[in-house]
Amino acid sequence: MSTTMTPTREELGLPTFKPHHAISPGEIAIGVIIGRTSEFFDFFVYAIASVLVFPKLFFPFVDPLTGTLYSFAIFALAFIARPFGSLFFMALDRAYGRGVKLTIALFGLGGSTAAIAFLPTYETMGNTAIWLLAIFRIAQGFALGGTWDGLASLLALNAPENRRGWWAMVPQLGAPFGLIVASALFAYMIAVLPAADFLEWGWRYPFFVALAINVVALFARLRIVVTEEFQTLFESRDLQPVSVMGTVSKEGRTVLIGAFAPLASFAMFHMVTVFPLSWVFLFTREAPTRFLLIEVLAAVFGLVAVLFSGRLADRYGRRTLLGTCAVGIAVFSGFAPQLLDAGTAGELTFMIGGFILLGLSFGQSSGVVASAFATDHRYTGSALTSDLAWLFGAGFAPLAALLLSTHFGLIASGGYLLSGALATLLALWLNKELASR
């Protein structure tokens, strides 16, 4: 009787699981950066089109300013839908696991973005085209609520104690990376195509690219999230989905403070990205390509500032850095918006100065309150906090800033920034008081 031996995984050339392999923060950081870059690229592709394309193609029956305001109103719908997406996908996560949730959410996000590229215009379908645009924008926000993978929280918990600030800024690098790619792509399409061709089909190309980037990001994140090692690490750190209502009932105060703590950063976010593009496009003779390239340059400064925020936070503390930046944003709000009417030099000063402030504050905006959550509520609580912070701080920022500026002058848009800075300072003070108790 012969005995057959089963070949080992090594003999078959298959990878083997190493149960004692220590997972480094660097491994987590790769998945975090790729994931966040894809999300922000989708965000900025839509934002840029909201200024350059949608007013002409979906609201041609009103003047350009009113069309842009309508476009910004639809832009805000995603931020309203995002918390509802979190509710749905958290339930999906509990029932079927993080891998299933991420797959559905990222295909939903990429599919909704790509679907916008196929939309007919108002000239073709009338009001139906506007409704379709709004539906796909809501679908984007709903799907974005499911892209929370817990890697950012895992990164913060797994980082060395004396370098928590450095690793906390890693997820925020996705914003400048996403803006650089989106702005450069639109600038290229506008530069190489006649205006008629760009409005006919050229603007649609970046929306197709968004789907491809989301697919790449999905596999990059699944490669990390669904491995046995990471599943064990998520469980050991209590980073598991729990009931949203249970989290709100037990951690509601922390969620609320966490949502308001980064308002200065998130209000600033749109004041140096979407709003200035709309102002320059509507009220100056400057070509959009030129200002998009200014955004790319300013975003590079913002990228460096995000990196630098990690060093400053580890040296002086995240709360101190956020509070100092909030004061800086309050000062910036008092004079800087008027620089947009001061020609090229003024625009460069506004954009570069604004992005440096944004990078320093945004780089640490996600971690200052998360540590206050009980460990079993940190995963769900952090997702809710992020959703609400974007809704309160950023969702209506372009619409509010443009409305205020057109009625009361550019200085009035600084009032929106100032309110965000004051909300951040108040939330940081409350958080400190609660922690001391």
Side-chain angles (χ1 to χ4, degrees):
M1 180 173 157
S2 61
T3 303
T4 59
M5 296 184 64
T6 302
T8 65
R9 292 180 66 85
E10 289 88 344
E11 290 172 338
L12 291 174
L14 297 174
T16 57
F17 171 64
K18 300 176 182 179
H20 301 296
H21 169 62
I23 297 174
S24 70
E27 291 179 78
I28 307 171
I30 293 172
V32 170
I33 293 173
I34 293 174
R36 293 299 168 83
T37 299
S38 71
E39 293 167 16
F40 277 108
F41 178 79
D42 282 30
F43 171 90
F44 284 119
V45 163
Y46 190 96
I48 294 171
S50 292
V51 176
L52 303 182
V53 178
F54 296 159
K56 292 182 179 178
L57 297 188
F58 293 92
F59 306 104
F61 50 88
V62 293
D63 60 89
L65 171 60
T66 305
T68 304
L69 291 171
Y70 288 166
S71 184
F72 281 167
I74 292 179
F75 174 83
L77 293 177
F79 298 92
I80 299 172
R82 184 172 174 175
F84 296 98
S86 287
L87 287 170
F88 171 79
F89 283 103
M90 282 293 174
L92 200 67
D93 194 341
R94 293 195 300 273
Y96 299 103
R98 200 158 305 180
V100 172
K101 181 192 83 162
L102 277 178
T103 301
I104 295 174
L106 283 173
F107 270 109
L109 178 60
S112 301
T113 305
I116 294 172
F118 292 99
L119 282 180
T121 64
Y122 181 85
E123 188 177 277
T124 305
M125 291 192 68
N127 288 331
T128 303
I130 299 174
W131 281 107
L132 288 173
L133 179 65
I135 288 169
F136 287 126
R137 181 57 177 167
I138 291 171
Q140 278 186 313
F142 190 85
L144 191 60
T147 60
W148 187 262
D149 52 21
L151 285 175
S153 297
L154 187 61
L155 181 62
L157 291 171
N158 221 46
E161 183 69 32
N162 62 340
R163 301 197 70 200
R164 289 280 170 86
W166 173 260
W167 292 107
M169 66 81 191
V170 168
Q172 313 303 77
L173 292 172
F177 279 134
L179 177 61
I180 289 168
V181 177
S183 297
L185 185 55
F186 265 101
Y188 174 77
M189 298 303 292
I190 294 171
V192 301
L193 293 175
D197 287 344
F198 173 75
L199 288 175
E200 177 67 26
W201 60 268
W203 69 271
R204 302 174 188 271
Y205 180 73
F207 286 86
F208 291 128
V209 174
L211 176 60
I213 291 178
N214 271 288
V215 172
V216 173
L218 170 63
F219 286 106
R221 292 161 88 171
L222 287 180
R223 177 179 166 272
I224 297 174
V225 169
V226 301
T227 63
E228 186 176 345
E229 290 170 297
F230 272 84
Q231 292 286 359
T232 301
L233 194 54
F234 278 124
E235 291 169 6
S236 68
R237 293 293 196 176
D238 278 333
L239 289 174
Q240 298 299 310
V242 295
S243 166
V244 171
M245 298 310 297
T247 299
V248 171
S249 65
K250 292 184 178 180
E251 301 276 2
R253 186 164 53 180
T254 305
V255 169
L256 192 61
I257 292 174
F260 280 92
L263 281 197
S265 305
F266 287 10
M268 187 72 164
F269 191 92
H270 281 164
M271 285 297 293
V272 295
T273 55
V274 185
F275 166 68
L277 178 63
S278 68
W279 183 267
V280 169
F281 187 63
L282 287 169
F283 297 109
T284 74
R285 296 180 179 274
E286 186 174 329
T289 306
R290 185 164 163 274
F291 193 79
L292 286 170
L293 293 177
I294 289 176
E295 283 201 332
V296 171
L297 174 64
V300 173
F301 280 87
L303 180 64
V304 175
V306 170
L307 291 167
F308 199 55
S309 76
R311 300 296 187 192
L312 291 175
D314 285 331
R315 184 169 183 178
Y316 300 106
R318 278 180 289 185
R319 185 182 287 110
T320 300
L321 178 60
L322 269 183
T324 303
C325 288
V327 173
I329 290 172
V331 174
F332 184 86
S333 70
F335 71 91
Q338 298 167 90
L339 293 172
L340 288 174
D341 268 346
T344 302
E347 291 168 5
L348 281 169
T349 303
F350 173 84
M351 293 296 289
I352 292 174
F355 263 96
I356 290 173
L357 264 178
L358 174 64
L360 292 174
S361 58
F362 187 68
Q364 298 299 314
S365 63
S366 64
V368 70
V369 180
S371 58
F373 286 113
T375 53
D376 56 333
H377 289 286
R378 181 168 294 179
Y379 177 76
T380 302
S382 295
L384 288 176
T385 297
S386 177
D387 292 346
L388 295 176
W390 280 110
L391 174 60
F392 297 150
F396 297 94
L399 179 62
L402 188 57
L403 268 173
L404 288 169
S405 297
T406 51
H407 284 85
F408 306 107
L410 274 169
I411 188 64
S413 65
Y416 191 89
L417 264 182
L418 180 61
S419 66
L422 294 176
T424 290
L425 291 171
L426 177 60
L428 292 175
W429 177 78
L430 286 174
N431 189 49
K432 183 179 180 180
E433 288 295 304
L434 290 174
S436 67
R437 293 175 191 175

